Amino acid sequence: MLYWNPKYECMDREELEVLQLARLKKTVDRVYHNVKPYREKMQKIGMTPGDIKSLDDLKSMPFTTKNDLRDSYPYGYFGAPMSEIIRIHASTGTTGKPTVAGYTKKDIDIWADIAARSLVAAGGGKDDIVQVSYGYGLFTGGLGMHYGGELLGASVVPTSSGNSQKQMMLMRDFGCTMLCCTPSYVLYLSEVMQEMNIKPSDLKLKAGVFGAEPWTEGMRKEIESRFGISAHNIYGLSEISGPGVGIDCFAKDGMHVPEDHFITEIINPDTGEVLPDGSLGELVFTCITKEGFPLIRYRTRDLTSVNREKCVCGRTNARIARIMGRSDDMLIIRGVNVFPSQVESALLDIGQTSPHYHLVVDRVDNLDVLEVQVEVSEDFFSDEVRKLESLEAKVRKKLDSILGISCKISLVEPKTLPRAEGKSIRVTDKRNLNF
Ligand code: ADP
Ligand code: ZN
């Protein structure tokens, strides 16, 4: 199966825009009448739903930020009465107090549909056995892929995260063909696989759908070669629905966004100006079919670019580039912007270290210091001090040149940094800076 929903995935852009406009009008009408903060914001600038006459008019609507949602925690932005809400999720809270999302029956059905589309884009079909190792609970990863897998007609194995030896045993014994989890967790599972003496050839696994946190192309290759599978990037956030807001097709040249449900903009995070396609900026989504939590121009704080050209897979739905990181993840060290993903790709380039790393930022004598803790790979690890010293120098040189600042490298023994079952925490910032 090439597409789950070819009508919408491959729709002509003109036709798609007509559909988007009709749906946008309906949504703006809904939020004006049902969501007090939106009505107030619109009234303040003298706007009524009737002012949306073209897609371009979306630009005159105000943005919605994570802080807006926090200010009206928990239900202030719900667009349907509680009697129609059948599910509540919350963001992981990676960057502060969680935000709360409510779903009507129709919202859950649409989300399942986009999650099914994602599995199909990653090569899945009804004969697949899909192991869902994202956490089940308030986090959207587990239940999102679960409903998607069931709608597709695949056999879903809801292992949730954790209990990694059992995960590997079930993956082998049940003949799971697809795996859904975070990239850090699949990396950890590859170590468990080795410890249990399971070989990739003992598994039926063919593809993985990995996301919920930033990762790099280098990490994709690493995971693909450790398991002998095709690894697909999936993007999602609870504010917009959950996993399935973006998915790699076989071309792996950006993640397709279901544009029949979400309008995508890229803005300059400092000025709010809408940027042309191809520019790097902050990703902004407008939900055009949601009822329970219909956010308008939601600022994700995720940095990427958008490409609206038709893809080689035949889909016309826009593609967002791999997320470089969130603006909150960006460290400013001695005035230089540093993303953990830059460190990850440098380390994977060098080899000899494992892709497990942690950044510690501190301020010593009024100067920012960045320490990069890196695990030496098992094959390379040795007691020979000279060998380790030369590896350290090599890593330092590479990172200095990529990041543009000097950093301290601490090589640590294999398997000593903490492993994540969900989203990994890559940075400890001891500076207590309050920007
Ligand atoms: P939180 O914002 O508290 O982590 P969520 O669990 O809803 O809450 O996570 C959504 C966020 O996770 C996104 O805004 C993005 O920063 C990150 N994310 C999700 N998928 C990906 C991905 N494939 N690549 C990079 N980042 C991702
Ligand atoms: Zn494609």
Side-chain angles (χ1 to χ4, degrees), residues 317-353:
N317 283 179
R319 281 166 285 162
I320 50 171
R322 185 177 280 285
I323 309 285
M324 189 175 164
R326 327 181 177 215
S327 44
D328 327 34
D329 283 344
M330 188 180 78
L331 291 163
I332 304 180
I333 300 170
R334 278 172 262 149
V336 176
N337 301 345
V338 172
F339 280 99
S341 57
Q342 290 173 292
V343 174
E344 181 174 303
S345 49
L347 293 177
L348 282 157
D349 260 9
I350 298 172
Q352 296 165 340
T353 60

Side-chain angles (χ1 to χ4, degrees), residues 82-135:
M82 235 27 202
S83 56
E84 283 177 34
I85 300 289
I86 63 158
R87 178 103 62 84
I88 293 175
H89 279 283
S91 70
T92 315
T94 314
T95 59
K97 196 168 171 180
T99 54
V100 182
Y103 305 72
T104 63
K105 171 79 173 65
K106 186 177 158 216
D107 295 335
I108 293 285
D109 290 348
I110 289 177
W111 179 21
D113 189 82
I114 64 169
R117 277 191 207 183
S118 301
L119 286 166
V120 172
K126 60 198 288 297
D127 296 330
D128 278 295
I129 303 178
V130 181
Q131 181 165 351
V132 180
S133 309
Y134 282 115

Side-chain angles (χ1 to χ4, degrees), residues 65-73 93 95-99 301:
T65 64
K66 223 173 173 108
N67 277 339
D68 291 335
L69 304 181
R70 286 180 180 145
D71 287 347
S72 49
Y73 175 87
T95 59
K97 196 168 171 180
T99 54
R301 306 202 269 190

Side-chain angles (χ1 to χ4, degrees), residues 32 39-49 51:
Y32 188 81
R39 185 169 51 251
E40 285 173 357
K41 278 183 181 182
M42 287 174 69
Q43 282 170 344
K44 216 166 152 187
I45 54 171
M47 245 187 112
T48 62
D51 292 329

Side-chain angles (χ1 to χ4, degrees), residues 168 183-194 198-201 203 205 218-231 348 351-356 375-379 415 419:
M168 285 314 304
S184 8
Y185 193 47
V186 66
L187 198 66
Y188 177 40
L189 286 178
S190 74
E191 293 174 348
V192 176
M193 170 170 83
Q194 214 182 15
I198 298 177
K199 292 186 289 302
S201 56
L203 304 173
L205 206 63
M219 187 73 98
R220 186 204 309 261
K221 295 208 176 75
E222 185 70 34
I223 293 168
E224 289 188 329
S225 83
R226 286 190 188 198
F227 281 91
I229 58 170
S230 176
L348 282 157
Q352 296 165 340
T353 60
S354 81
H356 294 282
E375 274 182 22
V376 176
S377 73
E378 257 176 290
D379 330 330
K415 299 187 182 166
R419 300 295 191 255

